Amino acid sequence: MAIIPQPTLLQQSKTWQQALTEMITCPLTLLAKLDLCPQQLPWQWDPNFGLRVSESFVQRMQKGNPHDPLLRQVLSIKAESHLVNNYSSDPLKESEFNPVPGLLHKFESRVLFTFTSSCAIHCRYCFRRHFPYQNNNPGKKGWQQAFEYIEKHPQIIEVILSGGDPLMAQDDTIALFIKMLAKLPQIKLLRFHTRLPVVIPERICHSLIKVLSSSPIPIIFVYHINHPHEINQAIANGVAHLKASGITVLNQSVLLHGVNDDFDCLKKLSFALFDAGILPYYINLLDAVQGASHFAVSSNKAKMLQQALRNSLPGYLVPKFVQEIPHRSSKTPLDLVEN
Ligand SMILES: *Cc1c(COP(=O)(O)O)cnc(C)c1O
Ligand code: SF4
């Protein structure tokens, strides 16, 4: 019988709530921490979707590098203000698939539920940056409506908690949700799409592990990591605890120009994920959201990267390259995307 390694005790010098109170929101503070002068890069203030990043994530950036791939993901630059044709504020037409507040039902067997309305990081390419969260934060009162919708659609077998980041919710809120959801026998799987444990590793704490490990519904975590520099020992420790509780941990990335659109980087990312106990799941082509066009990678280049990875890695370390095309019944494999 295989011996499952037991992760060592989670040693955390602060709580995730404390880390949240120490978020960096001023670009000048961020640049000073990185020994960069404001003249070195075309940064700008964004009053609507401002800078938000944790101290821990900033510590993983390289000092003195204005092109740091982690910095590029969080610092607003002037190129965001260029209006580009074909880029919109709702590229996925999500408002058409929103039957009750907070619920997105696009793919037959699974629904996506916006569980919270905030994140511990503001990713500049985020396709939800223009999403009307105010009208779509159902809160506990709205859960009942979502559960009723699910019961009327017995083909739904999985609930995906998304956001905002679902782990921004308190542990007792998550516990209550799981307890109520478990009353629907049709639900076989519960998935969390989360970036919080990457941004604030302390989020994987004993109390969360306790809540998740007592779930009668199997749980899958899909992390969101784009670059190998995002991964460190604290993240691997958290994953070890999740896995010891029977949780499957996968990762999705977004293919981003200037961040991870090169073969070496993607290859390193797959290995770094594997070393941290995570398997690559998806790499999403950028959604055409207004303000993110400087991150776009052509589908031609994406296809070349995909083939190069297929040639040099075992199949299970190659993420599925996909694009979200509105009105399709699943994500579209890149092989079927026209150039
Ligand atoms: C991506 C997504 C899902 C999950 O799709 P999988 O292929 O099962 O990972 C579900 N609903 C919506 C709205 C999505 O965007
Ligand atoms: S963590 Fe996800 S939802 Fe939140 S800003 Fe980043 S990409 Fe958007």
Side-chain angles (χ1 to χ4, degrees):
M1 211 177 86
I3 296 166
I4 301 166
Q6 288 299 315
T8 49
L9 276 179
L10 277 169
Q11 284 171 346
Q12 298 176 334
S13 58
K14 56 181 154 192
T15 65
W16 66 276
Q17 290 95 341
Q18 267 171 319
L20 267 182
T21 63
E22 296 163 8
M23 301 296 283
I24 296 156
T25 54
C26 168
L28 293 170
T29 308
L30 173 62
L31 294 174
K33 276 180 184 287
L34 297 171
D35 298 338
L36 290 167
C37 334
Q39 292 78 17
Q40 275 177 283
L41 64 181
W43 69 279
Q44 65 172 9
W45 292 95
D46 180 342
N48 301 314
F49 188 68
L51 174 72
R52 187 165 161 80
V53 64
S54 67
E55 185 71 46
S56 158
F57 198 78
V58 173
Q59 278 170 15
R60 287 169 251 163
M61 296 177 184
Q62 290 167 328
K63 285 198 170 169
N65 179 5
H67 307 294
D68 180 84
L70 276 53
L71 175 63
R72 185 166 164 86
Q73 293 180 53
V74 301
L75 185 70
S76 179
I77 58 170
K78 296 208 163 69
E80 286 186 15
S81 313
H82 304 160
L83 291 182
V84 179
N85 280 344
N86 306 326
Y87 280 67
S88 82
S89 60
D90 182 15
L92 306 183
K93 307 274 179 283
E94 289 198 325
S95 51
E96 296 173 22
F97 303 94
N98 197 193
V100 305
L103 205 70
L104 283 177
H105 190 196
K106 288 207 292 197
F107 305 153
E108 194 177 323
S109 65
R110 45 231 192 270
V111 283
L112 199 139
F113 193 49
T114 51
F115 199 58
T116 66
S117 52
S118 62
C119 294
I121 187 167
H122 282 172
C123 311
R124 303 318 305 172
Y125 52 85
C126 180
F127 72 97
R128 295 239 165 83
R129 59 187 289 173
H130 306 287
F131 191 71
Y133 279 125
Q134 290 72 8
N135 318 331
N136 258 296
N137 185 8
K140 282 185 199 160
K141 279 194 221 111
W143 292 1
Q144 205 50 47
Q145 245 187 314
F147 292 144
E148 281 163 20
Y149 178 88
I150 293 170
E151 281 185 302
K152 286 196 199 113
H153 297 81
Q155 70 273 32
I156 297 172
I157 57 160
E158 182 183 39
V159 170
I160 303 168
L161 297 182
S162 172
D165 197 304
L167 292 185
M168 288 291 278
Q170 300 295 327
D171 294 333
D172 51 2
T173 307
I174 297 172
L176 182 64
F177 184 84
I178 294 176
K179 191 171 154 206
M180 291 172 73
L181 189 67
K183 294 195 178 128
L184 306 183
Q186 72 194 80
I187 297 300
K188 308 291 181 224
L189 301 161
L190 172 60
R191 194 187 327 175
F192 289 76
H193 279 182
T194 180
R195 188 148 161 75
L196 194 42
V198 181
V199 180
I200 299 178
E202 291 86 352
R203 182 63 187 95
I204 307 299
C205 56
H206 287 297
S207 112
L208 177 66
I209 293 287
K210 201 167 144 210
V211 166
L212 300 176
S213 56
S214 49
S215 166
I217 312 170
I219 293 179
I220 300 93
F221 266 42
V222 181
Y223 276 15
H224 173 177
I225 298 172
N226 298 316
H227 192 281
H229 291 175
E230 291 172 47
I231 301 172
N232 61 15
Q233 190 57 48
I235 289 173
N237 288 350
V239 173
H241 279 267
L242 292 170
K243 289 174 74 173
S245 314
I247 295 164
T248 299
V249 187
L250 307 171
N251 183 64
Q252 59 177 337
S253 311
V254 181
L255 188 61
L256 298 166
H257 176 64
V259 174
N260 59 10
D261 62 335
D262 81 77
F263 168 67
D264 277 332
C265 176
L266 291 176
K267 190 173 162 188
K268 279 193 188 125
L269 176 60
S270 276
F271 277 116
L273 289 168
F274 182 76
D275 287 344
I278 308 169
L279 281 178
Y281 178 39
Y282 278 143
I283 182 154
N284 298 284
L285 266 66
L286 184 75
D287 299 311
V289 60
Q290 200 59 258
S293 63
H294 57 293
F295 285 117
V297 178
S298 70
S299 50
N300 245 335
K301 179 163 186 195
K303 283 176 186 174
M304 280 165 50
L305 289 168
Q306 174 178 237
Q307 193 52 47
L309 290 176
R310 281 175 175 162
N311 294 348
S312 70
L313 289 175
Y316 55 84
L317 288 188
V318 181
K320 299 172 212 248
F321 282 64
V322 290
Q323 180 150 35
E324 187 73 42
I325 300 181
H327 306 112
R328 297 259 176 109
S329 58
S330 68
K331 300 198 195 294
T332 302
L334 176 62
D335 303 278
L336 303 179
V337 173
E338 286 165 28
N339 287 329

